[in-house]
Amino acid sequence: MLKKVLIGSLGGAAVLTVGILLGHYAIDKGSPAPSWLPDVSRDLDESLLQDFMDAVDNKKIEGFLRDLTKVPHMATSAGDEATVEYMMQHWNDQESGLDQAWRQNYVVYLSFPDPKKPNKVTVVAPNTTVLHTAREREKSYGPDQDDPEVVQPYAAYSPAGSPQGKLVYANQGKPSDYMLLNKTLDLRGTIAICRYGGAGRAEKAINAAPYGVVGVLVYSDPLDINDGLMSDSNETYPHSWYMPPSGVERGSFNTDYGDLLTPYLAAKESTYRIPVENITGIPPIPIQPIGFEDAYVLIRYVIYGNHRDSWVHGAIDPSSGTSVMLEVTRVLGRLLKQGRWRPRRSIIFGSWGAEEFGLIGSTEYTEQYYTKLSERTVAYINVDIAVFANATLRASGMPSVQNLIFTAAKQVKAPGLESTSVYDNWLRYSNRTSPAYGTVPRVGYLTGAGSDYAAFVHYLGITAMDFSYTYDRTKTKARIYPAYHTAYDTFDYASRYIDPGFTSHQAVARTAGNVLLRLADSLLLPLNVSDYAETLEAYLATALELHQAIVFLKSAVDLFRSAATQLDQIIKSSDLVRRINDQLMLMDRAFLDPQAFPEKHVIWASSSSGHATFPGFADAFARASLSGLEGDWFRVHHQISILSQAINGAAHMLMDGFQ
């Protein structure tokens, strides 16, 4: 064997040598150079290159583009065939065509939507009521979008199917995203919503399938593609190059290239094809792209706001709150830009105008976006006057947010007390005894309309809270900080007497920001309905002291407690996160009654009675007790009926779907 190899190698060398010798000696040096020699030795003709560049015509390119885009031309469509003919016409042109042009046809496996059964994405309530239907086609801004050949947004190579399940946000659909989600949630039977990027189109579904996810929605996030701009009234196409809200990125949702049925073979009619079920690299579960307009609807809001206007300089009221909000947005914005964080739920920051003239900015906003906010807002955080003084935290809100605030306050250091938390410091200054928890800090109630939370609470029934740092009431009887609404409410006043060093501002920012992140990112909304039941029971006890003949009101409160206990047990044992979140989010909506008061929330309306009980009942009872008139006692009965109906309704809403 070695001998054969050596002979072969030597033989090859001999042939090579002969070739070189022939090339050297076969040319007669005295003969004229062959005709082809100048062609093979010629270098780049710079003048020809310049002629080429001069001849390139921008108007010709414009004309080609106009012709090529007259109609949609997806592969195999009539428009696609027209572009083939257009190309052949130009390449076969007698004056400017190529030496030769031809077409080659292949029989390949493609994926198209069924125009008779268009893809649909709907959101349904537990009772199967359709709450939202995603657009089947993008919004039209001109005749181009109206062309009947515009294909409906779809995911090429997605399997057909009609998956149903609760929606979970899965970031970019990377393996790490699903792994993280699966630590806190059983993903079996869920539908994941992902944003483009991070993982390939098909991989968003391929990565999801092992966890039991049954379907995937994918959208283009406006921060990733639009620099955050979202409005087609003045920010996106047709006003700029940015994608409009209904724009949907179509694409091929497979990981392999070439014809999927004939790998490594030309897809001619007679070529062997693998069975369709053996195709690899395509989504194992249905996947559908949608616009960020619809993705926005599917994700719930958290709103953080305070007003911006002041009577004079307004260093404390409201600019202390505005400064805190700006710092919260600065820190979160940096995390967002660095790619380290993106909220599970959308966060809206509101800087309201004309609050001092009657809560005007926030009220007008809730009136304009009533339906959207009512359907999708998880909670509203208000930080108006962030710092009255630097002694202790003061917080108010619905009872359902009490433990959420406590959790946040335990993680923040009290200003000037490094070994003490805001929670422990607060406990020393203001506390109460809870039947369920023992001694806890006192959380106030958002009764009446003292700040911008009013429209969210009374008009929309949205769970709300308010934060500030305040003074030690054992050391002063001041109704409010003395420079309130005067020309002395200045930066000098704030920095010298209210919060030197601004560490109390920092504590409020950390506490409110902690609450904000928990509301935005927690898989299960951190709201506690049993704490709500405790407050209703306390109100009932006071009401019974005033007026014994309210047995059916007691029955309503008992039903609410039973529903709250049942929901607590379900939360501990169930993975029905979306449904539970809906129950928690919508609970306060059930307490709205447009016939009850100008402030429509029957639990948190303002009251002049001085009794810590249901406001409508308390005021009606006080009036009837003074007048003794039969009509006024009828109003007491009316208020009890309103309360009973509202509390019963809230209880049934909490139990809906779990009975």
Side-chain angles (χ1 to χ4, degrees):
M1 181 66 184
L2 179 60
K3 184 177 180 180
K4 291 181 180 178
V5 171
L6 289 172
I7 292 171
S9 300
L10 291 171
V15 171
L16 177 61
T17 304
V18 170
I20 293 172
L21 290 173
L22 286 174
H24 182 73
Y25 290 109
I27 300 174
D28 184 352
K29 295 181 180 178
S31 302
S35 60
W36 46 264
L37 188 59
D39 288 336
V40 299
S41 62
R42 184 175 60 213
D43 199 359
L44 172 68
D45 186 339
E46 292 287 348
S47 63
L48 179 68
L49 180 59
Q50 188 61 50
D51 288 344
F52 163 77
M53 292 190 294
D54 291 342
V56 172
D57 188 336
N58 60 308
K59 290 298 182 182
K60 286 288 186 183
I61 297 173
E62 179 183 1
F64 291 147
L65 183 61
R66 183 181 292 108
D67 291 343
L68 289 167
T69 58
K70 284 180 179 177
V71 297
H73 47 279
M74 190 167 61
T76 76
S77 68
D80 185 39
E81 177 62 26
T83 61
V84 173
E85 295 174 359
Y86 184 84
M87 299 296 292
M88 294 297 291
Q89 172 191 340
H90 284 276
W91 281 348
N92 284 321
D93 187 271
Q94 293 298 315
E95 295 183 0
S96 61
L98 306 176
D99 286 342
Q100 187 180 11
W102 71 95
R103 63 183 296 168
Q104 181 70 59
N105 295 331
Y106 298 97
V107 181
V108 299
Y109 180 74
L110 300 180
S111 169
F112 300 101
D114 185 347
K116 296 180 180 178
K117 297 179 180 179
N119 297 348
K120 291 182 180 293
V121 176
T122 57
V123 180
V124 296
N127 63 1
T128 71
T129 301
V130 175
L131 301 178
H132 176 74
T133 300
R135 284 182 181 269
E136 292 181 19
R137 294 184 177 275
E138 289 148 307
K139 182 178 177 180
S140 174
Y141 298 97
D144 290 336
Q145 290 85 51
D146 293 329
D147 192 301
E149 291 300 313
V150 171
V151 68
Q152 177 201 11
Y154 79 109
Y157 299 108
S158 167
S162 301
Q164 297 182 2
K166 61 180 178 287
L167 191 69
V168 294
Y169 176 67
N171 193 30
Q172 295 178 319
K174 303 187 297 290
S176 58
D177 293 326
Y178 291 113
M179 187 182 301
L180 181 63
L181 268 177
N182 201 53
K183 289 180 179 178
T184 54
L185 171 68
D186 184 352
L187 290 174
R188 290 175 295 180
T190 63
I191 292 176
I193 181 169
C194 310
R195 58 192 177 101
Y196 274 114
R201 295 188 186 101
E203 290 164 347
K204 296 180 189 298
I206 293 171
N207 296 337
Y211 294 96
V213 176
V214 296
V216 175
L217 298 174
V218 59
Y219 71 99
S220 299
D221 193 286
L223 196 63
D224 296 331
I225 200 168
N226 273 16
D227 294 324
L229 300 180
M230 300 176 62
S231 172
D232 64 349
S233 63
N234 61 350
E235 293 178 332
T236 64
Y237 182 84
H239 308 284
S240 77
W241 76 319
Y242 292 116
M243 176 193 285
S246 67
V248 181
E249 180 183 322
R250 298 158 180 79
S252 179
F253 284 70
N254 64 310
T255 60
D256 299 334
Y257 50 88
D259 177 45
L260 300 182
L261 293 179
T262 59
Y264 307 108
L265 296 170
K268 305 300 290 182
E269 289 191 11
S270 59
T271 302
Y272 167 77
R273 285 167 170 78
I274 65 173
V276 172
E277 58 269 21
N278 290 351
I279 291 176
T280 60
I282 62 174
I285 55 178
I287 185 167
Q288 172 70 19
I290 58 175
F292 66 75
E293 173 187 63
D294 286 309
Y296 201 51
V297 171
L298 298 177
I299 300 173
R300 294 175 297 287
Y301 296 142
V302 180
I303 304 178
Y304 180 120
N306 85 303
H307 71 98
R308 184 182 61 260
D309 64 301
S310 64
W311 286 114
V312 198
H313 299 288
I316 302 303
D317 181 13
S319 299
S320 62
T322 305
S323 300
V324 164
M325 181 167 67
L326 283 172
E327 178 61 3
V328 170
T329 59
R330 183 191 70 84
V331 175
L332 294 182
R334 184 175 59 184
L335 292 173
L336 194 70
K337 296 292 187 183
Q338 292 173 345
R340 295 173 56 195
W341 168 79
R342 175 169 291 275
R344 179 186 302 276
R345 301 176 183 93
S346 296
I347 301 174
I348 296 175
F349 290 95
S351 178
W352 317 120
E355 187 267 0
E356 299 291 8
F357 286 87
L359 315 179
I360 292 174
S362 56
T363 301
E364 297 306 305
Y365 177 79
T366 58
E367 289 172 348
Q368 180 176 359
Y369 298 105
Y370 175 86
T371 302
K372 185 183 293 187
L373 295 174
S374 180
E375 290 176 355
R376 294 155 58 186
T377 306
V378 168
Y380 173 69
I381 299 172
N382 194 70
V383 183
D384 183 346
I385 299 176
V387 179
F388 289 87
N390 57 4
T392 182
L393 183 71
R394 184 181 80 171
S396 301
M398 274 68 165
S400 53
V401 302
Q402 171 185 268
N403 273 321
L404 168 61
I405 297 172
F406 290 167
T407 300
K410 288 175 182 177
Q411 293 186 322
V412 180
K413 296 294 184 183
L417 303 169
E418 286 302 315
S419 61
T420 304
S421 68
V422 164
Y423 176 90
D424 291 331
N425 186 57
W426 182 14
L427 193 63
R428 292 204 301 254
Y429 280 95
S430 177
N431 58 66
R432 69 177 183 89
T433 301
S434 162
Y437 307 112
T439 304
V440 294
R442 184 178 297 277
V443 177
Y445 298 136
L446 291 182
T447 54
S451 188
D452 288 299
Y453 58 76
F456 292 92
V457 172
H458 300 298
Y459 192 43
L460 295 169
I462 290 171
T463 300
M465 64 211 83
D466 183 89
F467 294 96
S468 62
Y469 234 73
T470 191
Y471 39 79
D472 182 353
R473 292 189 176 273
T474 65
K475 295 182 178 179
T476 177
K477 296 180 180 179
R479 174 181 58 85
I480 198 169
Y481 71 97
Y484 175 69
H485 283 197
T486 71
Y488 305 106
D489 187 356
T490 62
F491 177 82
D492 176 69
Y493 180 81
S495 60
R496 290 174 64 188
Y497 302 112
I498 298 296
D499 187 23
F502 293 88
T503 54
S504 295
H505 284 75
Q506 182 184 48
V508 172
R510 287 172 171 170
T511 306
N514 188 305
V515 168
L516 175 65
L517 283 170
R518 291 178 180 280
L519 286 167
D521 282 352
S522 296
L523 194 62
L524 185 69
L525 286 174
L527 304 177
N528 190 308
V529 293
S530 290
D531 290 347
Y532 219 118
E534 182 180 299
T535 297
L536 295 181
E537 288 165 346
Y539 271 23
L540 176 66
T542 301
L544 286 170
E545 293 174 1
L546 297 174
H547 190 53
Q548 292 295 320
I550 51 173
V551 178
F552 57 99
L553 179 57
K554 182 180 185 303
S555 299
V557 173
D558 289 344
L559 180 63
F560 187 94
R561 165 60 78 177
S562 176
T565 301
Q566 182 183 5
L567 185 60
D568 277 347
Q569 293 170 346
I570 290 169
I571 289 172
K572 293 175 183 177
S573 62
S574 174
D575 66 349
L576 299 174
V577 174
R578 175 61 189 262
R579 184 181 298 183
I580 292 170
N581 281 347
D582 286 345
Q583 320 287 83
L584 294 171
M585 181 179 75
L586 298 173
M587 178 178 60
D588 267 287
R589 315 290 203 274
F591 291 116
L592 295 182
D593 191 322
Q595 299 180 7
F597 322 92
E599 298 161 356
K600 300 178 180 66
H601 201 298
V602 301
I603 308 299
W604 309 121
S606 56
S607 171
S608 59
S609 70
H611 295 290
T613 186
F614 308 105
F617 159 76
D619 287 351
F621 179 81
R623 188 182 303 112
S625 298
L626 287 174
S627 70
L629 297 175
E630 185 178 27
D632 285 342
W633 285 110
F634 283 153
R635 291 188 182 90
V636 173
H637 189 186
H638 183 215
Q639 287 297 324
I640 294 172
S641 299
I642 288 173
L643 278 169
S644 300
Q645 178 173 295
I647 296 171
N648 271 306
H652 285 292
M653 188 277 300
L654 292 179
M655 295 187 294
D656 186 33
F658 299 118
Q659 295 173 313

